[in-house]
Structure formats: C-alpha cells, structure tokens
Amino acid sequence: MQNTTPNLQNNLTDWLDYLHTIHISAIDMGLERVLPVFYALGIKKPNAYVFTVAGTNGKGSTTATIAGICQQAGYKVGLYQSPHLLSFNERVKINQAMASDTLLIQAFDKVEKARVACGLTLSFFEMTTLAAFWIFAEQNCDVWVLEVGLGGRLDVVNLIDPNLAVITNVGIDHVDWLGDTREKIGIEKAGILRKNMTLVYGETDMPSTILPIIAKHDVKLLQFGKDYFYQQTLQNHWQYSSEGVTLSLPQPNLSLHNTATAITAVLASELSIDMMHICQALPNIHLAGRFDKRQFLQRQWVFDVAHNEHGINFLLSQFLPFWQNYQQKQPDAKLYVIFSILADKDIDKILPKLATLPIEKLFGGEIDFFRAMPKADLQAQLANHIDDFVVYDDLAQATKQAIAGSKPHDVLLVCGSFHTIGDVLRSGFVK
C-alpha cells in the first residue's frame, strides 16, 4: 500500500504518473473504499445544483450542452468529463475554461493527504474525481455537471447526490464490470437515481429493469419519444418540443439528439433558464471528437470517439447524410478511415458496421495505451471485414500514410476510441 507521497514539486505530469501507481488496478468498482477519503475532504453534499449524467454513449455531448446553457444563464458551472483527448486538464472545467495545472496540483495534494491519513489506496479515476469535487467546492460553483465514468451505481461520481439525473442510453459495453445484457447494465446506470428527483432518459427503448427503480424512488420520468421530441426544420434551424414548450432553435455543433436531451434536463431543473439562454448558448458549445468536422490540408476530417456498437450506429446515422451531401459538392471525393481500438472492446460488433461505409482504404495503427489492441490482433480482425487496409506500428504512421494516400477534398474519418483521436492529433500531422 502506497502511504507516502514522493516529492512531486509543482509538476502536473509527475502527479498524474504518480496517481497511476497508488492502486493495484486501474478500474475498481465500489464506493466503500472511497467514502472515508471523501468524508475527510469535507465535501459531502455541495451547496450547488447537481446534474449527473450516465449512459453508454453521448455523455460528453450532453454534459457539455447542459454546462454551456447553464453558463449562458449566468451560473458558475463546474463540468467534469472523462476521458480526455490531449490534456488531462480537459476533464475539469469551470465556465468552459480548463482547470490550470496549479489548481489541479493543489487539489491532488489535498486528496492525497486525505488518502494517506485514511490509510487507503485509490485508483487513478477515484483520485482525480475527488480532486474535481474539491475544485468545484473550493471555487464555489453554482452548478455541477458530472459525467459518470463507468456504470453509475458503483462509480465514484455517485458519491455526490444529484438534483437531476440523465441516462443518455443503455448499450452493451464494459461487460466485465456492468453485465452482458441491457437489463443488467440498466440497473447499474439507474444507480444514480435518488428519491423524488427527475430522470431524463434519452432513448425510446428503456430496459425493463429501470422501471422498478424509478417506481421505488418516486422518480419523475421524462423520456425521449414520449415526453420530448425534436425535428430538423430548415437547414440551420430545428425544433424542440415537450409538454407545453415548442422552441425553434439554431443548429448546434453537437448532435441534435444529445442536445435535445440536455435541453430537457435544464428545463426540468429548478434553475432559471429560458429560451434566450438556450438560443445564445448552442452555437458556442463545442466538444472535440464528437462528430467533429475540421478542414486541414485541403481535406475534410471527421473525428468521432465511437468505440462500441451503439456508438458506431450513432456515428453512421450522422455520417451517411453528411457523406451524401458532401459528395454532391465533391463527386470525386473518396473516403479514407483511420482506425484503432482498445483490446477490451467488441470489435466483431463494430467492424461490420464500419464496413458498410464506402471505404476506399483503412489505415490502422496500435494505440499508445496499455489497453490497446496489439497490431497483430488488429490486423487479423480487419482482415475479416475490410477489403483494403494496412496496419502500422502506431497511429502517427497511419495518419502520415492516410494523408499521403488521399487527395485534396477527400474525407478522412478518424474513429474507434478516445485514444485513437488523441494519438492522431498528437501526431503533428493534423490539428
């Protein structure tokens, strides 16, 4: 057990490296071990309005939109998300500004002293989440928007009692920790519910196991397709509707579906938010890696963190209309894909979906992360589904070759993992 802190001085990288060494495993579900440290920090129930967002996919877009609207309404907003793409600081934001190295180091030091005093070990995610809590409390944030890392019931984010809960959707992912059916996973996601609160559920198909939990806690349910809806109207406008409310809104940068779920959450909250705040906020909310379109080297890039079957389905639902429109303007354009994935993901469910796209060539590479799918395994999996592909030692090489093999006005789709996008952006060949 690590009970002494080395001399880390004021270096965030050293702190992050150290936090990875404290606990024997990277993921350790359960709250009992974390509670003493949580209480020692003295955070408990914050004097703030708390949104907690769980779900298999779409959490990042939903939390970013909730935070952006609340900030536009004049609230000081703490936003906690994970994982990050390039910098750890992305995980902890106050009014959309990333926490500074100095503030994060101060928070880590507070959490570490509490941990050592309790004689416990905590995982990297547990330590960093407690640090985010401490920062939001220390900075007197009016609103906390918290993204659940894994599941819900046993995730460290669930130490904080939310005022309103969101479950974006329930798909099959993280089966080793959450279960291998939507019904089992639904129970874990619904663990964020509390008595007499509101739950916004972001899909029409709810696992049957969630309903008894809703009834047990006397939760008010607002479900997509029953209690709120959206539709595209004009090219740059869309319509949101719920009971008693119909809004004509500017096109957001993020998906309409997740944006509608976020709007439902803020309107159902006890916060003072109106249509003007929503209209002004939407054009200014951005989140890297979520159907993130960029022009670079005369090529059209699309970055998306889709990394499971549900996520790939959602990516395709956005990409296919985009591709059809793009080809009307650039009929000679070809599609190239840069892809890699973590070893614990169900690639057999993902690649057949990806293969339905008109891929000219796929460029793969091994992710620079301990859970990466090894190059040889990635190559063997791709051979079963993709006609033309090549796999390199890393994603920097894959990116370089994808650029060299494509032409101006072609489209390059980067997907498969947060880490895939992070490695591609860090390669220096694209930004």
Side-chain angles (χ1 to χ4, degrees), residues 166-169 200-204 222-224 228 257-258 261:
V166 177
I167 299 176
T168 56
N169 46 63
V200 178
Y201 187 83
E203 60 183 352
T204 56
L222 298 175
Q223 185 173 1
F224 172 69
Y228 69 97
H257 194 102
N258 295 328
T261 297

Side-chain angles (χ1 to χ4, degrees), residues 160-182:
I160 299 291
D161 291 330
N163 297 91
L164 187 144
V166 177
I167 299 176
T168 56
N169 46 63
V170 177
I172 305 295
D173 200 9
H174 301 295
V175 295
D176 291 342
W177 294 283
L178 305 180
D180 57 1
T181 67
R182 291 183 73 240

Side-chain angles (χ1 to χ4, degrees), residues 223-242:
Q223 185 173 1
F224 172 69
K226 295 181 180 179
D227 303 291
Y228 69 97
F229 311 84
Y230 68 88
Q231 63 177 356
Q232 188 76 54
T233 51
L234 304 174
Q235 184 176 359
N236 295 316
H237 284 80
W238 62 294
Q239 184 173 287
Y240 167 88
S241 59
S242 61

Side-chain angles (χ1 to χ4, degrees), residues 45-46 48-52 142-146 160-165:
K45 170 63 180 172
Y49 195 92
V50 179
F51 297 87
T52 296
D142 304 312
V143 175
W144 295 20
V145 185
L146 306 178
I160 299 291
D161 291 330
N163 297 91
L164 187 144

Side-chain angles (χ1 to χ4, degrees), residues 2 12 14 70 92 132 146 159 190 285 377 394 401:
Q2 182 82 51
L12 181 60
D14 288 348
C70 291
V92 183
L146 306 178
L159 289 171
I285 299 169
D377 293 350
D394 56 51
Q401 295 305 318

Side-chain angles (χ1 to χ4, degrees), residues 340-347 367 369 371-373 416-417 419:
S340 194
I341 198 166
L342 299 181
D344 58 0
K345 299 301 177 183
D346 195 349
I347 193 170
I367 293 170
F369 189 63
R371 285 165 50 207
M373 179 169 287
S417 173
H419 302 280

Side-chain angles (χ1 to χ4, degrees), residues 140-429:
N140 294 313
C141 291
D142 304 312
V143 175
W144 295 20
V145 185
L146 306 178
E147 177 183 327
V148 170
L150 183 60
R153 183 175 64 92
L154 299 176
D155 188 273
V156 63
V157 167
N158 203 32
L159 289 171
I160 299 291
D161 291 330
N163 297 91
L164 187 144
V166 177
I167 299 176
T168 56
N169 46 63
V170 177
I172 305 295
D173 200 9
H174 301 295
V175 295
D176 291 342
W177 294 283
L178 305 180
D180 57 1
T181 67
R182 291 183 73 240
E183 286 67 32
K184 292 177 183 176
I185 295 171
I187 293 172
E188 297 300 320
K189 305 290 187 191
I192 64 173
L193 299 182
R194 302 294 194 272
K195 272 286 190 187
N196 300 314
M197 72 180 330
T198 296
L199 165 66
V200 178
Y201 187 83
E203 60 183 352
T204 56
D205 180 19
M206 178 188 290
S208 60
T209 49
I210 295 181
L211 287 173
I213 302 173
I214 288 173
K216 175 184 175 183
H217 293 296
D218 295 318
V219 166
K220 178 182 179 181
L221 172 63
L222 298 175
Q223 185 173 1
F224 172 69
K226 295 181 180 179
D227 303 291
Y228 69 97
F229 311 84
Y230 68 88
Q231 63 177 356
Q232 188 76 54
T233 51
L234 304 174
Q235 184 176 359
N236 295 316
H237 284 80
W238 62 294
Q239 184 173 287
Y240 167 88
S241 59
S242 61
E243 185 178 2
V245 176
T246 299
L247 305 176
S248 179
L249 298 169
Q251 196 75 15
N253 300 299
L254 303 175
S255 84
L256 288 184
H257 194 102
N258 295 328
T259 300
T261 297
I263 290 171
T264 305
V266 297
L267 292 179
S269 74
E270 298 168 11
L271 303 175
S272 180
I273 291 171
D274 60 30
M275 178 180 173
M276 179 188 69
H277 300 133
I278 297 170
C279 287
Q280 291 175 344
L282 292 189
N284 300 313
I285 299 169
H286 301 270
L287 190 61
R290 279 67 165 191
F291 206 69
D292 179 4
K293 301 185 291 295
R294 308 186 191 188
Q295 288 280 345
F296 188 68
L297 296 173
Q298 295 181 284
R299 290 151 175 82
Q300 175 67 60
W301 296 75
V302 179
F303 298 88
D304 197 277
V305 297
H307 55 271
N308 51 44
E309 183 182 14
H310 190 283
I312 288 291
N313 284 336
F314 194 61
L315 167 59
L316 295 183
S317 72
Q318 298 176 89
F319 187 84
L320 288 172
F322 161 79
W323 174 249
Q324 290 167 3
N325 291 333
Y326 188 84
Q327 279 207 307
Q328 290 178 3
K329 303 171 187 175
Q330 302 290 344
D332 296 329
K334 291 181 169 57
L335 171 62
Y336 297 88
V337 174
I338 301 173
F339 176 84
S340 194
I341 198 166
L342 299 181
D344 58 0
K345 299 301 177 183
D346 195 349
I347 193 170
D348 283 331
K349 295 284 181 64
I350 294 169
L351 286 181
K353 306 280 188 181
L354 196 61
T356 62
L357 293 174
I359 299 172
E360 186 73 14
K361 188 170 185 176
L362 185 147
F363 297 82
E366 188 172 319
I367 293 170
D368 182 19
F369 189 63
F370 71 97
R371 285 165 50 207
M373 179 169 287
K375 176 184 175 182
D377 293 350
L378 180 61
Q379 196 151 1
Q381 292 282 358
L382 288 169
N384 294 328
H385 302 284
I386 305 296
D387 293 331
D388 192 356
F389 71 92
V390 60
V391 180
Y392 296 91
D393 290 336
D394 56 51
L395 283 159
Q397 295 180 64
T399 304
K400 181 180 180 181
Q401 295 305 318
I403 294 170
S406 60
K407 296 178 180 179
H409 309 302
D410 284 341
V411 176
L412 289 93
L413 170 63
V414 184
C415 63
S417 173
F418 281 84
H419 302 280
T420 304
I421 294 174
D423 283 3
V424 168
L425 294 176
R426 274 188 291 267
S427 70
F429 296 114

